């Protein structure tokens, strides 16, 4: 579809992925047009984005922000909505070809599902959607025959490393993980980790929630679940390697011993651009990968004892049903509590583990059920934290 204008809705346009997506759109105005944007509470940035990209509809979380936006946008022709209904309206605008799902957390599930049901292609950054209801999302994507292209760098790498190969020849998927800021820490050093320590990711510049998830390695756990649903391989075929340089973005090993990987500088613009332009590639003004300058690449096994969240995610996937939704919800609440100094770093995994152990698992058949499990996980995590986690 070279040369054709693709019309986009960006859910979460004021976040780290949203902003990078809009930078790409700005670089290729002949290829992409913004039709809809949604944001949380960063109204100032949303106003700038509306002025630059002239979407025909936008949405924010709260009604109060709708008034604020209106007063700042006098004379600008844009429909302003709010809440979940507003996000759904943006995700299903008839002329939109592709929805960039870049909201953080399970809040992305409902609008992403609505976009799929409306037949939109999806560039998926929002991994929590697949963790919460992966079976339902993938089934609907198949039913609607839409393209669901991963944005997450590891999954983009696997997507590219699987291209042109037969799936029956795959032996395993290997997700790489930087290991986060605490990969060299000894056990005793985990006691006094502050939000500022945990937000200082060595390789990637990301939103707060995913930065904390990277520090606990829950991010890699969520990504194992994401890979399971995206590529339909059993958990036993999905491994994780620590690779601190974040240059090899992930790998696929085949039956004959061949391993195909995708490499690049750690910058989300490359996987975002690939999701937007697939199966073509855009000539991005990216810094080239200088392997000789880097010199060496290292790999090692993850330490699941020091980073228990990784194992919890494997357990959640093995449990199936509503367990991953509950795990994700508890993690979202625990991470928020950690960021606001109400929970220690070590207690993030304790809260998640405890909530998972209290959950009565059910088969997952509807989105409503996934949302109920999500809500249950949130309440249970809150309850445990207010009572003091054991
Ligand atoms: P972020 O926090 O920077 O941005 C999140 C966006 O979602 C913002 O626009 C925010 O306003 C909006 N938002 C937050 N909560 C919302 C809610 N309840 N309702 C509606 N909108 C809401 O996050 P990010 O780092 O851009 O990550 C977005 C998603 O992409 C996450 O699922 C993350 O795991 C995934 N991802 C991010 C990166 C990265 O480099 N940042 C890499 C891979 C995957
Ligand atoms: Mg990733």
């Amino acid at each position: 579809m070279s040369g054709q204008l693709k019309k986009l809705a960006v859910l979460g346009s004021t976040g780290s992925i949203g902003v990078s997506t809009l930078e790409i759109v700005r670089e290729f105005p002949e290829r992409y047009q913004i039709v809809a944007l949604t944001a949380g509470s960063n109204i100032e940035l949303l106003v700038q984005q509306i002025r630059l990209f002239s979407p025909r509809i936008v949405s924010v979380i709260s009604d109060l922000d709708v008034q604020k936006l209106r007063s700042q946008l006098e004379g600008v022709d844009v429909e302003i909505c709010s809440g979940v209904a507003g996000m759904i309206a943006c995700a299903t605008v008839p002329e939109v070809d592709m929805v960039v799902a870049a909201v953080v957390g399970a809040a992305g599930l409902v609008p992403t599902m609505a976009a799929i049901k409306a037949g939109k292609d999806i560039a998926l950054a929002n991994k929590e959607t697949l963790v919460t209801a992966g079976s339902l999302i993938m089934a609907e994507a198949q039913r609607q025959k839409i393209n669901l292209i991963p944005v997450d760098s590891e999954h983009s790498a696997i997507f590219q490393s699987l291209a042109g190969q037969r799936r029956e020849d795959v032996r395993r998927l290997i997700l790489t993980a930087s290991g986060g800021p605490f990969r060299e820490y000894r056990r005793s050093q985990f006691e006094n980790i502050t939000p500022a320590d945990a937000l200082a990711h060595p390789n990637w510049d990301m939103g707060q929630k995913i930065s904390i998830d990277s520090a606990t390695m829950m991010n890699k756990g969520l990504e194992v679940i994401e890979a399971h649903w995206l590529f339909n391989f059993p958990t036993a075929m999905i491994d994780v390697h620590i690779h601190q340089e974040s240059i090899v973005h992930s790998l696929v090993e085949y039956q004959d011993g061949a391993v195909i990987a995708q490499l690049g500088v750690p910058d989300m613009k490359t996987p975002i651009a690939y999701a937007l332009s697939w199966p073509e590639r855009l000539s991005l003004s990216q810094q080239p990968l200088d392997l000789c300058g880097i010199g060496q690449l290292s790999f090692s096994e993850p330490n699941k004892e020091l980073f228990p969240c990784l194992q919890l995610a494997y357990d959640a996937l093995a449990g199936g049903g509503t367990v991953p939704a509950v795990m994700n919800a508890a993690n979202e609440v625990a991470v928020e509590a950690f960021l606001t100094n109400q929970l220690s770093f070590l207690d993030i995994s304790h809260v998640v583990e405890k909530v998972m152990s209290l959950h009565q698992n059910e088969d997952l058949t509807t989105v409503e059920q996934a949302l109920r499990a999500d809500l249950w996980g949130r309440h249970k995590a809150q309850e445990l934290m207010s009572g003091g986690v054991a």
Side-chain angles (χ1 to χ4, degrees), residues 127 152-154 219-220 223:
K127 63 193 78 178
D152 214 345
S153 57
E154 297 77 1
N219 183 50
K220 210 50 54 181
E223 291 185 355

Side-chain angles (χ1 to χ4, degrees), residues 11-18 38-42 61 87 101-105 107 125-128 151-154 204-210 219 223 268:
L11 312 181
S13 67
T14 54
S16 162
I17 295 288
T38 84
S41 51
N42 190 345
I61 295 180
M87 278 203 287
V103 165
V104 62
N126 178 225
K127 63 193 78 178
E128 294 91 345
V151 166
D152 214 345
S153 57
E154 297 77 1
W204 298 93
D205 182 13
M206 311 180 285
Q208 290 204 334
K209 194 258 175 182
I210 185 176
N219 183 50
E223 291 185 355
M268 285 306 295

Side-chain angles (χ1 to χ4, degrees), residues 22 40 107-108 139 152 177 198 204 217 308 311 321 347 354 372 377-378 389:
L22 293 182
D152 214 345
W204 298 93
M217 287 200 71
Q311 185 59 46
D347 275 341
K354 187 84 187 171
R372 272 200 305 277
R378 283 169 202 275
V389 197

Side-chain angles (χ1 to χ4, degrees), residues 122-160:
I122 308 286
L124 186 80
N126 178 225
K127 63 193 78 178
E128 294 91 345
T129 280
L130 282 184
V131 174
T132 303
S135 59
L136 307 177
I137 288 281
M138 296 313 290
E140 192 60 33
Q142 242 177 14
R143 210 170 295 136
Q144 301 291 343
K145 299 192 171 55
I146 58 122
N147 296 306
L148 196 159
I149 318 285
V151 166
D152 214 345
S153 57
E154 297 77 1
H155 305 76
S156 178
I158 288 176
F159 182 65
Q160 294 176 59

Side-chain angles (χ1 to χ4, degrees), residues 243-245 247 290-299:
H243 165 51
Q244 64 177 46
E245 296 84 3
I247 296 297
D290 174 15
L291 279 177
C292 297
I294 294 164
Q296 289 196 342
L297 298 175
S298 61
F299 299 89

